[in-house]
Amino acid sequence: MTTQKIDVAGKLAGFTEHWAPRRIARVNDYEVKVAKVRGEFVWHTHEDTDELFLVVAGTLTIRLREGDVVLGPGEMYVVPRGTEHCPAADEEAHILLFEPVGTVNTGGVGGERTREPVDA
């Protein structure tokens, strides 16, 4: 067991690239990731897992076919498995993600926005 705390803001300060998740911790079979986002991502689905979004800074809109969910700092939303969604941010936002190890950020869509998380 580690006794070192994790400075989430410090991890976010360590990179500038948008839509490129950084792994900051592992909890059992889950990864805790941070990312900076700006603009619109891609519409995608995670068929086998839910996806947790927690906004650290800025505003994140999670577009859903049935309506948008707008999140500010300290707010979170869990996208249920199998739900098509498209994260977006008009201005840069900082987010924390919690999802099973091996979850592909673009679901089954793939494409140029697909990124393997790297350690922060």
Side-chain angles (χ1 to χ4, degrees):
M1 183 169 91
T2 182
T3 58
Q4 295 182 342
K5 63 183 177 180
I6 298 170
D7 177 3
V8 174
K11 296 291 187 183
L12 282 158
F15 64 96
T16 59
E17 187 179 6
H18 293 130
W19 303 110
R22 302 298 199 270
R23 183 177 29 248
I24 62 170
R26 188 166 172 164
V27 180
N28 298 316
D29 295 334
Y30 284 78
E31 291 179 322
V32 181
K33 305 171 193 172
V34 292
K36 292 182 177 179
V37 299
R38 185 172 186 180
E40 186 173 272
F41 197 52
V42 296
W43 282 94
H44 66 285
T45 305
H46 302 283
E47 293 298 334
D48 299 325
T49 187
D50 301 334
E51 186 174 22
L52 182 148
F53 290 85
L54 170 68
V55 175
V56 176
T59 301
L60 177 71
T61 300
I62 300 176
R63 296 194 173 121
L64 304 169
R65 295 299 182 191
E66 56 274 358
D68 294 348
V69 177
V70 179
L71 304 172
E75 295 180 322
M76 63 178 257
Y77 181 76
V78 177
V79 177
R81 71 185 68 211
T83 301
E84 190 176 25
H85 60 287
C86 178
D90 290 335
E91 301 295 327
E92 183 175 87
H94 299 175
I95 61 173
L96 183 140
L97 302 156
F98 188 74
E99 52 197 9
V101 171
T103 299
V104 177
N105 66 331
T106 54
V109 173
E112 66 182 41
R113 287 269 174 102
T114 302
R115 298 278 191 285
E116 284 288 324
V118 297
D119 292 329

